[in-house]
Amino acid sequence: MDEITEDITEIYHKKVGSEVTINVKEIDEIKKDKDACKPPPIVVSHVKPK
């Protein structure tokens, strides 16, 4: 997980700049609010193997 976190952080710092704080979290499930009209936000990052 640490290597993937570092890779994702590096990629996004190149895209948006190093002054932006990048938080990477591993979660088991994204729960949808039953009253929401649209699905919860999901960020999917693709990491290429080295």
Side-chain angles (χ1 to χ4, degrees):
M1 179 66 187
D2 291 335
E3 186 175 335
I4 292 172
T5 299
E6 290 173 13
D7 289 345
I8 292 171
T9 302
E10 182 180 331
I11 290 167
Y12 281 95
H13 275 157
K14 287 180 183 176
K15 290 183 179 193
V16 298
S18 61
E19 61 277 353
V20 175
T21 302
I22 308 293
N23 294 317
V24 179
K25 297 180 182 180
E26 181 179 17
I27 59 170
D28 295 326
E29 177 183 4
I30 297 176
K31 296 181 180 179
K32 181 181 177 186
D33 186 8
K34 60 184 174 184
D35 296 329
C37 296
K38 49 186 174 173
I42 298 174
V43 175
V44 178
S45 295
H46 298 278
V47 179
K48 296 180 184 177
K50 291 182 178 182

